[in-house]
Amino acid sequence: MTSTTDHADIVIVGTGHGGAQAAIALRQQGHEGSILMIGRDDAPPYERPPLSKEYLAGDKGFERIMIRPEKFWADKGIDLKLGAAVTAIDPHAHRITLSDGSTVTYRKLIWSGGGDPRRLPVPGAVLPGVFYVRDKSDADAMMQALSGGARRAVVIGGGYIGLEAAAVLRKLGCEVVLVEMLPRLLARVAGEELSAFYAEEHRRQGVDVRLETGVSAVLGEDQGKVTGVRLDNGEEVPCDMVVVGIGIVPAVAPLIAAGAAGSNGVDVDFCCRTTLDDVYAIGDCAAHANPYADNAVIRLESVQNAHDMANTVAKAIMGEKEPYNALPWFWSNQYDLKLQTAGLSLGFDQTILRGDPATRKFTVVYLRDGKPIAFDCVGTMKDYVQARKLLESGAGRIDAALLADPEVPLKDLI
């Protein structure tokens, strides 16, 4: 479905979780004007997290990861312009230019552009058989390679995307070598206890985990097919496919070129407004002062952040300026394990282990100055639900012995 609209009351750039929720929330808040969503994807709005999990594994078809049935958008009077990218913004004329040369004017602009995969900066990185997991076409290409017989994979990056892809590839019967430059997995987002647990788990599942190891080149045959990678120690690892998960680059170039402030993404205020008049930004690309990070200016790459920022913007546009202060949360599915995170562990100075990792059910508590700031819950749903309430309550210092005792409900510590 496409639209020939050349003006919309509200234009939303991006058809992921943030963009979709912004459109939905605007209608829920009573907005009756025109809404146009513009997306680089050819497909209608769909969930991104399953791409490296259930969708890649074949457990969920595309219809099951669509944010809403396609008919929903037409029923709500929300136009979709798909397969189009915004190349320029004129904030004074309230006009955007698209990749096909057409222009659209707006009253309000919501930028939910997300990010682009950070590319592997080595020779051979553009060979066929090198994959990133950012959109449906990426996952479809990987599935095609697997159906074509690819059975040896090198995964580059020990963050959540890399680990989730490694878990799915093992489930599908592939040999997997996972390479991480840092001394431990999840080093940027978790403490040593969780890193050690997941390294052991992946090795137990048959993944060859290589830490403190980089890649110097991707190797290929004359016709271009990937045949292996060369590690920075000179070793060559044969493979049929390479999966790269080394982070994203915020997709904000048109905003910055138009004069919006921002260095790591685009800067937004407490209502997600950029420094450009009538332009908001939400989701992965929006740098904001987060109350759960001691008001440090950060970007959050999570569904929760995109969803809640979208609600904040919808309310602001409808005249209800409510500061964004949602508790961050996140999840990751690997093998039969479900990790749920509440809060942000940035700047923690102490961790407490609640339960025994050997049981594959435990919680890591992160503290700063004796105060809990985040929880990583592996298979402990009850801890996760109560941890969210504890963090939202603003609880202060808590006795470490009580936090460490899994028999003491976290709700009793509020």
Side-chain angles (χ1 to χ4, degrees), residues 3-8 11 36 38 81 85-90 93-106:
S3 170
T4 57
T5 304
D6 59 6
H7 173 82
V11 170
L36 171 64
I38 300 172
K81 186 172 181 61
V86 175
T87 58
I89 301 171
D90 183 338
H94 280 49
R95 182 176 61 239
I96 60 174
T97 301
L98 305 184
S99 49
D100 63 3
S102 64
T103 60
V104 180
T105 56
Y106 61 85

Coordinates of all heavy atoms in Angstrom, one line a residue, residues 3-8 11 36 38 81 85-90 93-106:
S3 N 1.0 5.7 -0.7 CA 0.2 6.9 -0.7 C 0.8 8.0 -1.6 O 2.0 8.1 -1.8 CB 0.1 7.5 0.7 OG -0.5 8.8 0.8
T4 N -0.1 8.8 -2.2 CA 0.4 9.9 -3.1 C 0.3 11.2 -2.3 O 0.5 12.3 -2.9 CB -0.5 10.0 -4.4 OG1 -1.8 10.1 -4.0 CG2 -0.3 8.7 -5.2
T5 N 0.1 11.1 -1.0 CA -0.1 12.3 -0.2 C 1.2 13.2 -0.3 O 2.3 12.7 -0.2 CB -0.3 11.9 1.3 OG1 -1.4 11.1 1.3 CG2 -0.5 13.1 2.1
D6 N 1.0 14.5 -0.6 CA 2.1 15.4 -0.6 C 2.1 16.4 0.6 O 2.9 17.3 0.7 CB 2.2 16.2 -1.9 CG 0.9 17.0 -2.2 OD1 0.1 17.1 -1.3 OD2 0.8 17.6 -3.3
H7 N 1.1 16.2 1.4 CA 1.1 16.9 2.7 C 0.4 16.0 3.7 O -0.6 15.3 3.4 CB 0.3 18.2 2.6 CG 0.1 18.9 4.0 ND1 1.1 19.6 4.5 CD2 -0.9 18.9 4.8 CE1 0.7 20.1 5.7 NE2 -0.5 19.6 5.9
A8 N 0.8 16.1 4.9 CA 0.2 15.4 6.0 C 0.3 16.2 7.3 O 1.3 16.9 7.5 CB 0.7 14.0 6.3
V11 N 3.7 13.7 9.9 CA 4.5 12.8 9.1 C 5.4 12.0 10.1 O 6.1 12.6 11.0 CB 5.4 13.5 8.1 CG1 6.4 12.5 7.5 CG2 4.6 14.1 7.0
L36 N 0.9 10.3 8.0 CA 1.6 9.6 6.9 C 2.8 9.0 7.6 O 3.7 9.7 8.1 CB 2.0 10.5 5.8 CG 3.0 10.0 4.8 CD1 2.3 8.8 4.0 CD2 3.4 11.1 3.8
I38 N 6.3 7.0 6.7 CA 7.2 6.7 5.6 C 8.3 5.7 6.1 O 8.9 5.9 7.2 CB 7.9 8.0 5.2 CG1 6.8 9.0 4.7 CG2 8.9 7.8 4.1 CD1 7.4 10.4 4.4
K81 N 3.7 5.0 3.2 CA 4.5 5.2 2.0 C 5.8 4.3 2.3 O 6.6 4.7 3.1 CB 4.9 6.6 1.7 CG 5.6 6.8 0.4 CD 5.9 8.2 0.1 CE 6.6 8.4 -1.3 NZ 5.8 7.8 -2.4
A85 N 13.0 6.5 1.4 CA 13.8 7.1 2.5 C 13.8 8.6 2.4 O 13.6 9.2 1.3 CB 15.3 6.6 2.3
V86 N 13.9 9.2 3.6 CA 14.0 10.7 3.6 C 15.5 11.1 3.4 O 16.4 10.6 4.1 CB 13.5 11.2 5.0 CG1 13.7 12.7 5.1 CG2 12.0 10.9 5.1
T87 N 15.7 11.9 2.4 CA 17.1 12.4 2.1 C 17.4 13.8 2.6 O 18.6 14.1 2.8 CB 17.3 12.3 0.6 OG1 16.4 13.1 -0.1 CG2 17.2 10.9 0.1
A88 N 16.3 14.6 2.8 CA 16.6 16.0 3.3 C 15.4 16.5 4.0 O 14.2 16.1 3.8 CB 16.9 16.9 2.1
I89 N 15.6 17.5 4.9 CA 14.6 18.1 5.7 C 14.8 19.6 5.6 O 15.9 20.1 5.8 CB 14.6 17.7 7.2 CG1 14.4 16.2 7.3 CG2 13.5 18.5 8.0 CD1 14.7 15.8 8.8
D90 N 13.7 20.4 5.3 CA 13.8 21.8 5.3 C 12.9 22.2 6.5 O 11.7 22.3 6.3 CB 13.2 22.4 4.0 CG 13.3 23.9 4.0 OD1 13.4 24.6 5.1 OD2 13.3 24.5 2.9
A93 N 10.5 25.4 5.9 CA 9.4 25.2 5.1 C 8.5 24.0 5.6 O 7.5 23.7 5.0 CB 9.8 24.9 3.6
H94 N 9.0 23.3 6.6 CA 8.3 22.1 7.1 C 8.1 21.1 5.9 O 7.0 20.6 5.7 CB 6.9 22.5 7.7 CG 7.1 23.0 9.1 ND1 7.9 24.0 9.5 CD2 6.4 22.7 10.3 CE1 7.8 24.3 10.8 NE2 6.9 23.5 11.3
R95 N 9.2 20.8 5.3 CA 9.1 20.0 4.1 C 10.3 18.9 4.1 O 11.4 19.2 4.5 CB 9.2 20.8 2.8 CG 9.1 20.0 1.5 CD 9.1 20.9 0.3 NE 10.4 21.7 0.2 CZ 10.4 23.0 0.2 NH1 9.3 23.7 0.3 NH2 11.6 23.7 0.1
I96 N 9.9 17.7 3.7 CA 11.0 16.7 3.6 C 11.1 16.3 2.1 O 10.1 16.4 1.4 CB 10.7 15.4 4.5 CG1 9.3 14.8 4.1 CG2 10.7 15.8 5.9 CD1 9.0 13.5 4.8
T97 N 12.3 15.8 1.7 CA 12.5 15.3 0.4 C 12.8 13.8 0.5 O 13.5 13.4 1.4 CB 13.7 16.0 -0.3 OG1 13.4 17.4 -0.4 CG2 13.9 15.5 -1.7
L98 N 12.2 13.0 -0.4 CA 12.3 11.6 -0.4 C 13.3 11.1 -1.4 O 13.7 11.9 -2.3 CB 11.0 10.9 -0.6 CG 9.9 11.3 0.4 CD1 8.6 10.5 0.1 CD2 10.3 11.1 1.8
S99 N 13.7 9.9 -1.3 CA 14.7 9.3 -2.2 C 14.2 9.3 -3.7 O 15.1 9.2 -4.6 CB 15.1 7.9 -1.8 OG 13.9 7.1 -1.5
D100 N 12.9 9.3 -3.9 CA 12.5 9.3 -5.3 C 12.3 10.7 -5.8 O 11.8 11.0 -7.0 CB 11.1 8.6 -5.4 CG 10.0 9.2 -4.6 OD1 10.2 10.3 -4.0 OD2 8.9 8.7 -4.6
G101 N 12.7 11.7 -5.0 CA 12.7 13.1 -5.5 C 11.4 13.8 -5.1 O 11.4 15.1 -5.2
S102 N 10.4 13.1 -4.6 CA 9.2 13.8 -4.2 C 9.3 14.5 -2.9 O 10.3 14.3 -2.2 CB 8.0 12.8 -4.1 OG 8.3 11.8 -3.1
T103 N 8.4 15.4 -2.6 CA 8.5 16.1 -1.3 C 7.1 16.0 -0.6 O 6.1 15.8 -1.2 CB 8.8 17.6 -1.6 OG1 7.7 18.2 -2.4 CG2 10.1 17.8 -2.2
V104 N 7.2 16.1 0.7 CA 6.0 16.1 1.5 C 6.1 17.2 2.6 O 7.2 17.3 3.2 CB 5.9 14.7 2.3 CG1 4.6 14.7 3.1 CG2 5.8 13.6 1.3
T105 N 5.1 18.0 2.8 CA 5.1 19.0 3.8 C 4.3 18.4 5.0 O 3.5 17.5 4.9 CB 4.4 20.3 3.3 OG1 3.1 20.0 2.9 CG2 5.3 20.9 2.2
Y106 N 4.6 19.0 6.2 CA 4.1 18.5 7.4 C 3.8 19.7 8.4 O 4.4 20.8 8.3 CB 5.0 17.5 8.1 CG 6.4 18.2 8.4 CD1 6.6 18.8 9.6 CD2 7.5 18.1 7.5 CE1 7.8 19.4 9.9 CE2 8.7 18.7 7.8 CZ 8.9 19.3 9.0 OH 10.1 19.9 9.3

